[in-house]
Amino acid sequence: MPVGERVIHMVTGEYKTTTKDGKEIEAYRWDPGTVFVNKGENVKLKILGVNGEHHPFVIEGMNIQGVVKKGEETTVSFHASKEGIYRIICFTHPDSVNNGPMIGYIVVD
């Protein structure tokens, strides 16, 4: 592992329940939902697909795209060069209509 590289593990998760009227609802999430890194760090995100068949995603403002598949680990690396809050958004579950929002946050301080 290169000096100064930080490895952060995430998973895809699902919450499921039944409402009083018998309707089943579910929502997909990144876990952890918020990741904090320091400006200047080299970061490797290792995302394990646990729930859901596939989660194509983008990290806004970092020019990073990928797909997390069930039972597989997807790895993306970046240099945290600029402070800010960057959203990791799943294209399959972007909002409540599509069992989301499956949106996580990378906070660079």
Side-chain angles (χ1 to χ4, degrees):
M1 181 164 62
V3 174
E5 182 177 55
R6 182 170 166 204
V7 177
I8 298 172
H9 296 271
M10 297 177 76
V11 299
T12 60
E14 175 187 23
Y15 294 92
K16 191 182 281 189
T17 192
T18 304
T19 62
K20 288 181 183 180
D21 62 2
K23 179 182 175 188
E24 188 174 275
I25 57 174
E26 62 185 339
Y28 288 89
R29 304 290 296 164
W30 302 106
D31 187 18
T34 303
V35 173
F36 294 89
V37 301
N38 295 314
K39 181 180 175 185
E41 277 190 302
N42 293 314
V43 178
K44 182 181 286 186
L45 291 180
K46 296 181 128 199
I47 310 169
L48 178 63
V50 176
N51 295 107
E53 290 304 312
H54 65 285
H55 300 282
F57 68 90
V58 64
I59 302 177
E60 288 183 330
M62 290 190 179
N63 198 30
I64 295 173
Q65 295 185 30
V67 178
V68 179
K69 296 179 182 177
K70 189 175 198 171
E72 298 180 17
E73 186 172 71
T74 299
T75 301
V76 295
S77 297
F78 63 91
H79 178 73
S81 60
K82 186 177 177 186
E83 291 182 358
I85 299 172
Y86 302 87
R87 299 188 313 165
I88 177 170
I89 303 171
C90 173
F91 293 126
T92 304
H93 310 289
D95 52 37
S96 61
V97 174
N98 295 290
N99 300 326
M102 188 173 180
I103 298 174
Y105 302 91
I106 299 169
V107 179
V108 180
D109 284 324

